[in-house]
């Protein structure tokens, strides 16, 4: 009997885009994304853009990767309460010119921002293409240009020179990280006295055929993927990419490093160097262009061999993450229980999953989850023999065999702390929140490494 591939391949969640066809809503995902995910060894799972789905994302477990790729403009209130100073006439002009993109879809925003934050919290591999890269930046405290043509026109003809380029690039890109990353970006963008030039990022008359130049930053994943196509002129570091957007990254979130710039200074690709190692299941990246659509209109061949590498490396990280999550490639799958036992098992697993998420993130109210937490609490309070490893994992979640009631009471106490924290955070600026996200991301990573080390020592004892 042929194996059930759904029980073997890791799962990549992709949120659909909603459109109208024959006076009815239709959800879709571009076929190129699906083809590439499947061809490299993962199973795409489409998350429908349906009201309330952002509250049900735990039901899509296990999640081994997330690819966000298509959709309308993100609600500006999520990153810029001042609407970039546009007049009402300018806003109407933008809406008329980009009618298919400027209809805000708040439900899709909620779903995708929730998934992006889930990936950041759990180190789940994430690839953002076009809108997906913008979602990632906003989720980490970055901002967007609401209309590139209007907001970048003031940079036309400005020249970057060695004396002023560091401050200008810091202002434009909010470059983070080591001196190595900063010096690399400056070398790629300013040492030659580069001028800002006007770039067409959306050409409705030549949708798939339109291309513009981007300059790749040295020693980044993009440089590695496209190196064979850059020729012998390493100083040029240019490729031609497609473009289907009128918005883009304005302030890059602190945790990210740029990988490519358009000639108008717009960041066309970025990644988190601390969360990039596909062999170890680490991959957090955003690309403003669409490498999956950079193909000859007649032949279908990719413009460059490196175009498919974003998907290949992303799926490599997804596969590695799944193996890490399972702990071993030898864990048997597809074990079947009778209906009653299977129902009970699922309720207990879900109960533990909710409890762990509430404990680790400090989010959620116990009153809303109490009925679902009861199955896990009853299991913990029963006279059930557990292995040392199981007890250690339960302790990691804040629970032991005998203290389930205490654990639930502790969660109730966290509700008041959460309410007070939300009130304080609501008064903080975007810059302060962005800095805090970067700090706690690094602290979370260090704590996770320390916990893993301690549990390994306990298991060996």
């Amino acid at each position: 009997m042929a194996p059930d591939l759904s029980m073997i391949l890791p799962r990549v969640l992709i949120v659909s885009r909603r459109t109208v066809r024959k006076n009815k809503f239709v959800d879709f995902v571009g076929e190129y994304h699906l083809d590439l995910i499947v061809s490299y060894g993962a199973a795409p799972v489409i998350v429908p853009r349906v009201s309330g789905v952002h509250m049900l994302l735990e039901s899509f477990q296990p999640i081994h990767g997330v690819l966000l790729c298509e959709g309308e403009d993100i609600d500006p209130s999520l990153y810029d309460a001042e609407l970039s100073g546009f007049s009402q006439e300018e806003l109407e002009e933008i809406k008329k010119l980009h009618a298919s993109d400027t209809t805000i879809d708040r439900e899709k925003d909620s779903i995708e921002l929730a998934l992006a934050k889930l990936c950041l919290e759990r180190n789940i591999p994430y690839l953002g293409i076009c809108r997906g890269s913008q979602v990632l930046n906003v989720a980490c405290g970055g901002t967007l240009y609401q209309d590139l043509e209007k907001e970048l026109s003031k940079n036309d003809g400005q020249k970057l020179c060695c004396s002023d380029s560091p401050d200008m690039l810091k202002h434009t890109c909010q470059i983070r990280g080591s001196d190595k990353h900063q010096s690399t970006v400056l070398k790629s963008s300013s040492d030659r006295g580069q001028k800002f030039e006007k770039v067409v990022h959306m050409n409705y008359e030549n949708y798939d055929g339109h291309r513009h130049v981007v300059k790749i930053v040295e020693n980044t994943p993009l440089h590695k993927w496209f190196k064979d196509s850059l020729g012998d002129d390493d100083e040029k570091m240019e490729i031609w990419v497609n473009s289907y957007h009128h918005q883009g990254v304005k302030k890059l979130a602190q945790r990210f490093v740029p990988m490519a710039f358009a000639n108008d200074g717009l960041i066309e690709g970025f990644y988190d160097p601390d969360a990039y190692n596909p062999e170890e299941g680490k991959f957090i990246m955003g690309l403003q262009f669409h490498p999956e659509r950079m193909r000859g209109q007649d032949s279908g061949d990719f413009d460059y061999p490196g175009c498919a590498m974003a998907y290949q490396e992303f799926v490599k990280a997804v596969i590695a993450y799944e193996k890490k999550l399972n702990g071993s490639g030898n864990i048997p799958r597809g074990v079947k229980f009778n209906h009653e036992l299977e129902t009970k098992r699922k309720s207990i697993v879900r109960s533990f999953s909710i409890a762990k998420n509430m404990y680790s993130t400090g989010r959620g109210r116990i009153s809303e989850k109490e009925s679902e937490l009861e199955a896990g609490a009853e299991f913990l309070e029963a006279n059930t023999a557990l292995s040392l490893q199981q007890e250690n994992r339960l302790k990691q979640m804040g629970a032991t065999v005998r203290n389930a009631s205490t654990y639930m009471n502790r969660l109730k106490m966290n509700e008041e702390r959460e309410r007070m924290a939300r009130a304080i955070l609501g008064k903080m600026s975007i810059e302060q929140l962005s800095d805090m996200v970067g700090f706690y991301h690094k602290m979370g990573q260090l704590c996770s490494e320390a916990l893993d080390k301690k549990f390994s020592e306990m298991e060996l004892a």
Side-chain angles (χ1 to χ4, degrees):
M1 180 181 293
D4 181 359
L5 291 179
S6 67
M7 299 298 294
I8 297 173
L9 298 181
R11 296 151 53 90
V12 174
L13 268 57
I14 309 175
V15 180
S16 65
R17 181 177 186 178
R18 173 160 286 190
T19 188
V20 177
R21 182 175 181 271
K22 295 182 179 180
N23 297 321
K24 291 183 174 62
F25 286 122
V26 176
D27 284 8
F28 69 93
V29 173
E31 62 179 310
Y32 285 145
H33 301 293
L34 304 177
D35 288 344
L36 287 165
I37 291 297
V38 170
S39 66
Y40 290 121
V45 177
I46 298 176
V47 179
R49 182 257 168 253
V50 179
S51 296
V53 167
H54 66 282
M55 302 293 291
L56 306 174
L57 294 178
E58 289 290 342
S59 300
F60 287 89
Q61 297 282 3
I63 302 172
H64 304 120
V66 170
L67 166 65
L68 300 185
C69 50
E70 296 162 332
E72 295 77 7
D73 295 348
I74 300 170
D75 184 353
S77 67
L78 294 171
Y79 59 87
D80 186 355
E82 300 301 322
L83 294 174
S84 296
F86 287 140
S87 67
Q88 190 59 41
E89 291 76 15
E90 288 175 316
L91 289 173
E92 291 300 323
E93 183 182 345
I94 293 169
K95 288 180 181 179
K96 184 177 180 181
L97 185 60
H98 304 290
S100 62
D101 292 324
T102 52
T103 301
I104 303 301
D105 187 342
R106 291 182 174 83
E107 192 66 38
K108 184 174 174 69
D109 289 347
S110 296
I111 297 169
E112 296 193 338
L113 282 169
L115 278 175
K117 291 173 182 177
L118 187 69
C119 289
L120 295 166
E121 290 166 1
R122 301 184 184 180
N123 294 317
I124 300 171
Y126 178 104
L127 173 60
I129 302 293
C130 196
R131 171 189 157 96
S133 68
Q134 297 170 13
V135 168
L136 178 61
N137 188 48
V138 170
C140 291
T143 63
L144 306 177
Y145 289 110
Q146 291 176 43
D147 187 73
L148 294 171
E149 185 175 1
K150 291 187 178 300
E151 294 189 68
L152 287 182
S153 59
K154 60 186 177 182
N155 290 335
D156 289 355
Q158 287 184 352
K159 187 174 181 180
L160 288 173
C161 63
C162 295
S163 62
D164 65 5
S165 60
D167 290 337
M168 185 176 294
L169 280 172
K170 286 179 184 177
H171 173 72
T172 303
C173 311
Q174 294 294 310
I175 297 172
R176 178 189 68 82
S178 65
D179 293 338
K180 174 184 176 183
H181 289 300
Q182 182 163 321
S183 63
T184 297
V185 174
L186 296 178
K187 180 178 185 295
S188 300
S189 303
S190 64
D191 286 353
R192 298 179 302 281
Q194 176 192 338
K195 284 185 178 181
F196 282 130
E197 303 171 3
K198 185 174 182 178
V199 175
V200 176
H201 290 279
M202 176 73 85
N203 186 340
Y204 289 108
E205 295 180 358
N206 187 19
Y207 194 73
D208 264 339
H210 175 62
R211 300 284 189 274
H212 69 75
V213 169
V214 299
K215 292 178 171 57
I216 293 179
V217 177
E218 206 172 0
N219 299 321
T220 62
L222 272 186
H223 180 219
K224 177 182 178 182
W225 300 343
F226 288 91
K227 189 171 184 179
D228 291 342
S229 301
L230 296 174
D232 298 327
D233 188 0
D234 287 338
E235 288 296 313
K236 200 170 185 181
M237 298 287 284
E238 293 179 351
I239 60 172
W240 290 79
V241 302
N242 53 13
S243 197
Y244 312 99
H245 61 104
H246 78 106
Q247 298 192 326
V249 170
K250 186 175 184 178
K251 175 189 173 184
L252 187 63
Q254 190 177 14
R255 67 186 291 167
F256 297 124
V257 168
M259 295 194 295
F261 295 89
N263 283 344
D264 56 6
L266 184 72
I267 296 172
E268 292 275 344
F270 59 88
Y271 78 119
D272 182 346
D274 295 328
Y276 182 83
N277 190 329
E279 289 78 9
E280 294 184 4
K282 298 179 180 179
F283 193 105
I284 302 290
M285 179 180 295
L287 299 176
Q288 183 59 70
F289 57 96
H290 285 256
E292 82 285 354
R293 297 186 69 90
M294 288 170 59
R295 304 171 184 242
Q297 296 187 41
D298 297 325
S299 66
D301 296 334
F302 283 114
D303 293 1
Y304 305 98
C307 287
M309 288 296 293
Y311 290 82
Q312 184 175 343
E313 294 298 286
F314 169 63
V315 174
K316 181 189 293 183
V318 168
I319 294 171
Y321 180 83
E322 184 218 19
K323 290 180 178 178
K324 187 193 304 185
L325 204 63
N326 289 338
S328 170
N330 298 320
I331 295 177
R333 303 188 181 199
V335 177
K336 300 291 184 181
F337 298 102
N338 63 44
H339 179 72
E340 182 179 355
L341 285 176
E342 178 67 10
T343 301
K344 187 173 183 179
R345 183 189 69 82
K346 286 182 178 179
S347 66
I348 292 173
V349 169
R350 176 164 175 76
S351 181
F352 285 162
S353 177
I354 292 171
K356 180 179 181 181
N357 188 46
M358 291 174 69
Y359 185 81
S360 61
T361 64
R363 296 178 180 176
R365 290 177 170 79
I366 188 69
S367 56
E368 297 174 358
K369 304 288 187 181
E370 191 160 5
S371 61
E372 293 181 287
L373 289 169
E374 285 177 357
E378 290 174 0
F379 176 79
L380 289 172
E381 292 176 329
N383 293 320
T384 305
L386 300 178
S387 68
L388 178 61
Q389 184 180 16
Q390 287 173 319
E391 288 198 28
N392 287 337
R393 293 303 181 192
L394 289 171
K395 288 176 183 177
Q396 184 180 3
M397 292 188 282
T400 66
V401 176
R402 299 295 180 187
N403 76 342
S405 297
T406 304
Y407 177 50
M408 292 179 70
N409 289 334
R410 189 190 309 169
L411 287 175
K412 290 180 180 178
M413 292 175 60
N414 285 341
E415 286 187 15
E416 180 61 22
R417 295 175 183 170
E418 177 183 345
R419 185 187 65 77
M420 295 175 63
R422 287 183 182 277
I424 295 171
L425 292 173
K427 297 177 182 179
M428 295 175 68
S429 66
I430 291 176
E431 289 75 12
Q432 290 172 322
L433 290 170
S434 177
D435 291 340
M436 184 177 290
V437 168
F439 171 78
Y440 280 108
H441 168 72
K442 174 57 69 175
M443 291 301 296
Q445 184 180 15
L446 294 173
C447 289
S448 179
E449 292 173 357
L451 277 172
D452 287 342
K453 182 178 179 181
K454 288 183 180 294
F455 286 130
S456 296
E457 291 172 352
M458 290 174 66
E459 290 172 3
L460 292 173

